[in-house]
């Protein structure tokens, strides 16, 4: 009953975002699990596939800084609507091109357009929720995101074998519809201190963003430890279907278990994410991130090692699938514990008038990790060393988790210094 009351009490903007996450992620997850396979038929090496997938996140590194600052000046809603319209057009264009250079250009444009959305949207949620309720709100968004992760791959599996280009058409249409919904129903949440200014500096202070990263040691610590986590996410969602194709064909034949496991991951998040986020809302963030990241890292290690063990013992398809489901269970629970509190952490340390900027700078871990992950993955896969990709990333994530043990003391020291300054 308490959880139901918390859900009812969420701001309208949060619910619009939840619905949008559900619908748009359904469309994107029809496409993304098959994107590497789609590109594999268009270019002549896996390193090129990795580079096409990597260039989009790295281009978003610069776009998010610009988009975050614009959202702090002109408002969250405008940046979100612009981003979804632009991304819809670019996705449609993917179905029209057929060359390596064209894919690179579109990936750059998609990275920039997508990067305008996240800082503004994350800041909007922080604008309308109290600090102690933010973990719940971000957890609810992950529920919507993963409802899409359940639906998308299952639909995409059937559509992909009928017509690959249709996946791009559907994703583009749904993003376009969502942009209209945002334009009509979202309310602007930019703090009034910014809205009331008669004169607004429209320049993009890139040097100011750089100074924030350099001088805010907590934010820099968060980014540095999070890069390897982002690399792990990118490879589980990007290269894992290819890894299964290379290692599990003797057990599963042409059937790839990856879409099924992604849907299972989404079901677990839909069922358990909000209760977990609600339980963790008052827990120390550093300790929570520590436990969640350790479990997540061990999951990545297990995902990498498991196919070789299954093949070595000659296990049946059913037994192999059960083992993969067990691994995905604790991998997913680590993800559910870790992910919402990461966004809450950035929202809590951000000054109100730089909230979207902080969100943009904090997202650097995803863009840098999203760039390095596919490059490393493509390099190792071309040499048939996929196992080492998951060993390296899993071990790195575990080390990041251990470092999070010191985060609560760092936050306490920062608050003490702030109080002394006052």
């Amino acid at each position: 009953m308490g959880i139901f009351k918390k859900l009812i009490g969420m701001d309208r903007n949060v619910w619009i975002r939840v619905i949008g996450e559900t619908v748009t992620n359904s469309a994107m997850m029809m496409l993304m699990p098959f994107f590497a396979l789609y590109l594999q038929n268009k270019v002549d090496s896996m390193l090129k596939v990795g580079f096409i997938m990597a260039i989009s996140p790295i281009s978003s590194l610069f776009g998010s800084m610009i988009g975050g600052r614009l959202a702090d000046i002109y408002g969250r809603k405008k940046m979100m609507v612009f981003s979804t319209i632009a991304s819809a057009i670019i996705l449609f264009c993917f179905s029209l091109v057929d060359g390596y250079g064209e894919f690179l250009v579109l990936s750059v444009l998609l990275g920039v357009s997508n990067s305008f959305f996240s800082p503004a949207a994350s800041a909007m949620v922080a604008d309308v929720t109290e600090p102690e309720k933010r973990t719940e709100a971000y957890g609810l968004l992950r529920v919507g995101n993963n409802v899409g992760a359940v639906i998308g791959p299952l639909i995409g599996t059937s559509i992909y074998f009928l017509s690959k280009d249709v996946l791009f058409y559907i994703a583009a249409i749904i993003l376009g519809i969502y942009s209209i919904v945002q334009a009509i129903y979202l309310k602007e949440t930019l703090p009034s201190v910014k809205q009331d200014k008669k004169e607004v500096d429209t320049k993009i202070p890139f040097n100011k963003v750089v100074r924030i990263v350099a001088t805010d040691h907590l934010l820099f610590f968060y980014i540095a430890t999070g890069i390897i986590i982002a690399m792990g996410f990118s490879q589980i969602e990007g290269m894992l279907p290819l890894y299964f194709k290379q290692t599990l064909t003797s057990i599963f034949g042409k059937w790839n278990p990856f879409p099924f496991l992604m849907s299972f991951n989404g079901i677990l998040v839909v069922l358990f994410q909000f209760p977990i986020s609600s339980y963790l809302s008052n827990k120390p963030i550093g300790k929570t991130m520590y436990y969640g990241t350790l479990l997540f890292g061990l999951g990545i290690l297990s995902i990498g090692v498991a196919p070789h063990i299954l093949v070595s013992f000659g296990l049946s398809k059913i037994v192999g699938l059960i083992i993969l489901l067990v691994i995905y269970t604790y991998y997913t629970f680590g993800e559910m514990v870790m992910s919402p509190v990461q966004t809450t952490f950035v929202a809590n340390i951000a000054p109100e008038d730089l909230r979207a900027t902080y969100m943009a700078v904090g997202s650097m871990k995803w863009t840098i990790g999203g760039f390095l992950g596919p490059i490393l993955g493509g390099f190792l896969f071309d040499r048939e060393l996929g196992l080492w990709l998951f060993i390296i990333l899993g071990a790195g994530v575990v080390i990041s988790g251990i470092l999070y043990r010191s985060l609560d003391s760092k936050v306490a020291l920062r608050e003490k210094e702030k109080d002394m300054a006052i």
Side-chain angles (χ1 to χ4, degrees), residues 174-417:
I174 291 178
L175 280 176
I177 293 172
Y178 184 48
S179 66
I180 297 172
V181 171
Q182 290 178 117
I184 296 173
Y185 293 106
L186 275 182
K187 61 181 179 181
E188 182 57 67
T189 64
L190 185 69
S192 58
V193 65
K194 284 288 182 184
Q195 292 176 330
D196 292 343
K197 283 187 176 181
K198 294 181 180 179
E199 294 183 4
V200 177
D201 182 10
T202 58
K203 295 181 180 180
I204 308 301
F206 181 80
N207 60 334
K208 186 173 183 179
V209 173
V210 174
R211 284 202 304 273
I212 291 173
V213 178
T215 59
D216 193 322
H217 301 301
L218 278 179
L219 186 60
F220 183 78
F221 175 81
Y222 168 82
I223 294 169
T225 53
I227 288 174
I228 191 72
I229 297 173
M231 291 175 67
F233 266 116
S234 71
Q235 294 313 281
I236 291 296
E237 294 186 355
M239 292 297 189
L240 189 56
L242 293 175
Y243 183 59
F244 283 164
K245 182 180 179 181
Q246 289 181 358
T247 58
L248 292 175
T249 302
S250 62
I251 295 177
F252 293 104
K254 293 184 179 181
W255 182 72
N256 195 316
F258 177 73
F260 180 82
L261 293 172
M262 285 293 289
S263 295
F264 177 70
N265 170 276
I267 291 171
L268 290 178
V269 173
V270 171
L271 294 176
F272 298 108
Q273 179 66 78
F274 190 76
I276 288 174
S277 298
S278 182
Y279 173 76
L280 296 173
S281 60
N282 295 318
K283 299 293 187 292
I285 287 181
K287 189 175 182 180
T288 301
M289 290 171 65
Y290 163 62
Y291 288 119
T293 305
L294 281 183
L295 202 55
F296 181 74
L298 292 174
I300 294 176
L301 281 169
S302 301
I303 288 170
V305 173
H308 296 273
I309 295 177
L310 298 179
V311 172
S312 297
F313 284 90
L315 299 179
S316 67
K317 180 185 295 186
I318 297 299
V319 174
L321 184 59
I322 291 173
I323 292 175
L324 290 176
L325 287 173
V326 171
I327 293 172
Y328 245 75
T329 297
Y330 61 81
Y331 162 84
T332 302
F333 271 85
E335 178 188 351
M336 286 190 285
V337 170
M338 172 185 64
S339 294
V341 293
Q342 289 182 319
T343 312
T344 300
F345 172 74
V346 178
N348 288 352
I349 67 172
E352 185 180 81
D353 59 341
L354 290 176
R355 188 168 284 154
T357 303
Y358 259 62
M359 291 294 183
V361 176
S363 71
M364 286 174 63
K365 73 167 193 171
W366 297 111
T367 53
I368 296 173
F371 171 75
L372 295 177
I375 293 296
L376 176 64
F379 176 81
L380 292 176
F381 267 71
D382 267 345
R383 287 154 181 78
E384 298 184 358
L385 296 173
L387 171 62
W388 283 100
L389 172 68
F390 296 100
I391 291 176
I392 292 169
L393 294 180
V397 171
V398 169
I399 293 171
S400 292
I402 294 172
L403 292 174
Y404 284 141
R405 293 187 66 178
S406 65
L407 189 58
D408 291 325
S409 61
K410 292 178 184 293
V411 173
L413 178 61
R414 172 177 171 137
E415 293 300 320
K416 183 177 179 181
E417 292 174 347

